[in-house]
Amino acid sequence: MAVEPVNPDESTALEGSVAPSVRVSEGLRLSEQEEKPLEETVVKVFRCSKVVKGGRRFSFAALVVVGDRAGTVGVGYGKANEVPRAVEKGAKDGRKDLHKIVLAGRTIPHQVSGKYRATKITLVPASPGTGVIAGSSARAVLEYAGVQDVLTKVYGSTSAKNVVKATMGALLQLRDKEMVESLRGVAVNV
């Protein structure tokens, strides 16, 4: 992977703008979280075999979660003939699809459900000190999104791909009080 030198003139022009790799939806802007380095973790590696004349030929796919543990998270999926290459492709794919998640301190602002195919997941805010009560697939997404206290329950299929996508869908539905007020145009009393 080649690294291109940074032109100092361009970096000053980009200081006030949003990082190009982060998808900003519904008027959200990033703050000091832009500078946090992205971390990645492999949720699961899938092995597929193809029978050929000389035996079996294996290929691999990796499901990777990328995040800064401060409100930005993405999911990637990469396929290759070797595991390290599949993980690298998955991480690159995850960095292309980053999302900003609304957090309320260490937890989520409200209860939310996400659905993807045969999987449904419910995320419930928890009091400080509870931790992330979740299975391995949902835990990876929640921890790399920066959620530290949450309760989860998965209904239906527990396939890693489906659970990760359902968790991302649930996190993208989160709204804070200011967002709801601006969308509705009225003051919300909580």
Side-chain angles (χ1 to χ4, degrees):
M1 234 163 85
V3 178
E4 296 179 14
V6 177
N7 185 352
D9 298 331
E10 292 177 9
S11 65
T12 55
L14 292 174
E15 284 178 1
S17 67
V18 175
S21 62
V22 176
R23 181 178 295 165
V24 178
S25 61
E26 306 194 24
L28 282 178
R29 295 286 172 214
L30 296 178
S31 57
E32 72 281 348
Q33 297 171 355
E34 290 179 33
E35 293 90 31
K36 286 216 172 200
L38 291 175
E39 301 173 32
E40 62 191 51
T41 185
V42 178
V43 176
K44 189 164 183 185
V45 175
F46 303 90
R47 187 181 77 171
C48 184
S49 64
K50 174 182 176 181
V51 179
V52 293
K53 186 177 176 183
R56 291 188 185 97
R57 181 164 295 154
F58 296 106
S59 61
F60 300 91
L63 184 62
V64 181
V65 173
V66 179
D68 64 356
R69 297 183 188 261
T72 303
V73 69
V75 175
Y77 189 71
K79 297 190 279 187
N81 290 330
E82 302 94 26
V83 174
R85 184 80 179 117
V87 171
E88 185 181 318
K89 284 182 178 182
K92 186 177 178 184
D93 187 43
R95 283 183 169 82
K96 288 181 190 174
D97 193 34
L98 292 175
H99 296 278
K100 186 79 181 91
I101 305 300
V102 176
L103 299 174
R106 296 170 45 101
T107 188
I108 56 177
H110 54 85
Q111 182 173 334
V112 66
S113 293
K115 188 169 181 350
Y116 183 79
R117 305 224 176 220
T119 300
K120 183 182 174 195
I121 188 166
T122 303
L123 308 177
V124 181
S127 57
T130 304
V132 178
I133 310 297
S136 61
S137 303
R139 176 184 298 273
V141 176
L142 293 166
E143 285 182 349
Y144 281 80
V147 180
Q148 296 173 1
D149 297 307
V150 69
L151 305 170
T152 65
K153 177 63 183 159
V154 175
Y155 301 98
S157 170
T158 55
S159 157
K161 294 176 195 174
N162 288 357
V163 170
V164 165
K165 290 179 182 179
T167 306
M168 279 298 295
L171 290 175
L172 292 175
Q173 293 175 24
L174 291 172
R175 304 284 180 260
D176 60 357
K177 182 180 173 187
E178 291 76 23
M179 287 178 69
V180 173
E181 287 176 343
S182 66
L183 288 171
R184 295 182 186 172
V186 296
V188 176
N189 297 327
V190 177

